[in-house]
Amino acid sequence: MTLIVDIAKHFPSFDLEVQFEAEDEVFGLLGASGCGKSLTMRSIAGIETPDEGRIVVNGEVFFDSAAGINVKPQRRKTALLFQNYMLFPNMTVEDNVAAGIPKDMPRTDRDAIVQAELHRFDVAAFAKRYPAQLSGGQQQRVALARMLAAQPGILMLDEPFSALDAHLKGVLEQNLASLFDAFDGTILYVSHDIDEAVRFCDRVAVIERGHVMEVDGSRELINDPKSMAGLKLSGCKNAVEVEKINETHVYCPQWGVKVAVQDGVPDDVRGIGVRAFNLRRVEEPGCNVYRVRVDRVSDSRFERMCLLSFIERDERAEPLVSATDQEVHFLHQRMFWRVSMREPGVVMPEPGDELLIHIPAEHLYVVSR
């Protein structure tokens, strides 16, 4: 089972140009809202038509601009789960599940497939109900049953948990696990949530402004991101652009400081990153130790998040702004520090405190894209 995508679609203010291949796996498209993830998926399904390129699913050409091929959506063996499930409101649950099965299939075979999927997703008791009579979780299970009943060549899920609360999301994730176990083929999963990508995806393509920035295993994306987009999407709070000074140091205009890098600085370096929980409070000056001020704190159940400003900024750095001047720029100039409340004896930092913070070079990410 394979998926080959190499397409482009141009708009006045946005260009989609994506290329990737997937096999018998869960392949993620990860990116911020508006980056082109859903547009890519809709192009595969035939809902959108690219300006140029090629889409091949399991050896069947769905779209080829050079050859003049553009298979109609209803003839493409795809199953696409939208955020709102798209159930037919005037059809019962069992009719919704049967909707994607070819009409020329014998009735007994159709009924057998429908019943099998109704039982797989535990919605057989609702077979005669209509979508409006179901909860959100029940509607999702019906949508998943309909996907498998259609026996598609590829499954595609477009942010299926975006509208769910945390408790229901945890329950319904198990439904997806059942779906993935039952399907033998390529599964395309669109998300902006790195935790979902790690839980479900074998590999992930990071999408930024319509382009694939990197393709990695989900765990590799966490441990060794290759791009600024991947770094930010991996959950790294401190991802900043830099300029190369020499083979061992970079300058960060955003913070106004020089930072030492452990394994060398590539000529095309674009940025660095350090996770908020890897910062350390120290008592003595040293390499990558900076005097900072705590400008803001916020608490969750088990940790305190601190916003730090660098006190001794380089003369080239722009003046620090306050939150009342411009909130976004205020955040842009500061570093995030996550302090655990579960460690005994730790003195919690408070707004206005001045202290020394160490950025460990061994925990720095260096990216060139």
Side-chain angles (χ1 to χ4, degrees):
M1 301 292 185
T2 58
L3 167 66
I4 301 172
V5 176
D6 184 355
I7 57 173
K9 189 172 179 65
H10 307 290
F11 300 91
S13 59
F14 177 81
D15 288 330
L16 178 76
E17 296 177 353
V18 295
Q19 307 86 32
F20 61 86
E21 295 186 17
E23 298 184 356
D24 185 0
E25 60 184 323
V26 182
F27 189 88
L29 298 182
L30 183 69
S33 297
C35 72
K37 308 183 302 294
S38 296
L39 180 59
T40 300
M41 188 173 284
R42 291 165 66 88
S43 296
I44 297 170
I47 301 170
E48 298 279 352
T49 302
D51 295 332
E52 56 187 293
R54 199 162 183 263
I55 300 171
V56 183
V57 176
N58 301 330
E60 181 182 353
V61 178
F62 282 6
F63 176 79
D64 189 325
S65 58
I69 299 173
N70 187 18
V71 177
K72 294 181 178 181
Q74 58 269 30
R75 294 183 61 85
R76 301 188 185 195
K77 292 288 287 182
T78 65
L80 175 55
L81 180 67
F82 292 97
Q83 297 172 12
N84 59 358
Y85 312 139
M86 298 292 286
L87 297 177
F88 299 109
N90 60 332
M91 295 170 61
T92 64
V93 164
E94 61 183 359
D95 288 339
N96 264 283
V97 174
I101 302 175
K103 303 301 182 184
D104 57 356
M105 180 179 289
R107 180 61 180 267
T108 55
D109 294 342
R110 286 167 55 86
D111 290 346
I113 291 173
V114 169
Q115 290 305 312
E117 301 308 333
L118 288 175
H119 282 88
R120 185 197 306 277
F121 291 100
D122 196 25
V123 288
F126 313 125
K128 302 300 182 182
R129 294 188 186 180
Y130 291 87
Q133 298 172 302
L134 305 178
S135 68
Q138 292 163 351
Q139 288 181 25
Q140 191 202 51
R141 296 206 300 272
V142 173
L144 297 179
R146 182 176 63 184
M147 290 181 76
L148 279 191
Q151 300 178 333
I154 180 174
L155 294 182
M156 299 188 289
L157 297 95
D158 189 358
E159 303 202 52
F161 300 125
S162 62
L164 303 179
D165 60 48
H167 172 71
L168 187 57
K169 179 178 177 180
V171 173
L172 295 183
E173 283 179 353
Q174 301 309 311
N175 295 332
L176 277 196
S178 299
L179 176 74
F180 294 168
D181 289 343
F183 185 73
D184 182 21
T186 303
I187 300 172
L188 203 59
Y189 191 97
V190 161
S191 180
H192 63 270
D193 186 324
I194 184 62
D195 291 324
E196 284 184 21
V198 171
R199 276 195 292 274
F200 294 121
C201 301
D202 300 302
R203 290 192 301 143
V204 177
V206 174
I207 312 293
E208 182 181 45
R209 294 191 296 272
H211 294 77
V212 177
M213 304 307 295
E214 61 178 293
V215 178
D216 270 315
S218 56
R219 183 51 58 181
E220 284 71 23
L221 179 60
I222 300 294
N223 295 332
D224 188 23
K226 305 296 192 306
S227 66
M228 284 293 286
L231 188 56
K232 293 175 182 178
L233 288 167
S234 74
C236 184
K237 292 288 187 183
N238 302 307
V240 293
E241 295 194 351
V242 297
E243 302 165 2
K244 180 175 180 177
I245 297 175
N246 53 42
E247 296 303 316
T248 57
H249 291 79
V250 295
Y251 173 66
C252 173
Q254 184 170 322
W255 293 337
V257 297
K258 181 173 71 172
V259 181
V261 175
Q262 181 170 267
D263 297 322
V265 181
D267 290 337
D268 60 349
V269 63
R270 181 181 173 191
I272 60 171
V274 60
R275 299 198 184 278
F277 59 78
N278 279 327
L279 301 179
R280 291 291 178 263
R281 183 174 185 171
V282 296
E283 299 301 326
E284 299 292 336
C287 181
N288 285 0
V289 174
Y290 306 91
R291 183 166 297 280
V292 300
R293 181 176 53 251
V294 180
D295 289 337
R296 181 185 293 175
V297 301
S298 59
D299 291 344
S300 61
R301 290 176 298 165
F302 304 116
E303 61 191 18
R304 171 166 291 183
M305 181 66 82
C306 303
L307 273 178
L308 309 176
S309 59
F310 292 83
I311 295 175
E312 298 164 352
R313 290 162 60 86
D314 184 274
E315 60 183 11
R316 293 175 291 172
E318 60 185 25
L320 283 171
V321 301
S322 67
T324 55
D325 292 334
Q326 188 178 352
E327 175 71 9
V328 173
H329 202 38
F330 170 84
L331 297 174
H332 179 78
Q333 293 180 329
R334 274 133 181 105
M335 183 168 63
F336 290 82
W337 176 32
R338 198 183 300 272
V339 185
S340 174
M341 293 179 173
R342 289 176 286 188
E343 297 180 14
V346 174
V347 177
M348 287 292 108
E350 299 291 344
D353 286 354
E354 293 187 5
L355 43 88
L356 294 177
I357 285 291
H358 178 221
I359 301 178
E362 66 271 21
H363 291 306
L364 274 176
Y365 301 108
V366 180
V367 298
S368 298
R369 281 178 259 165

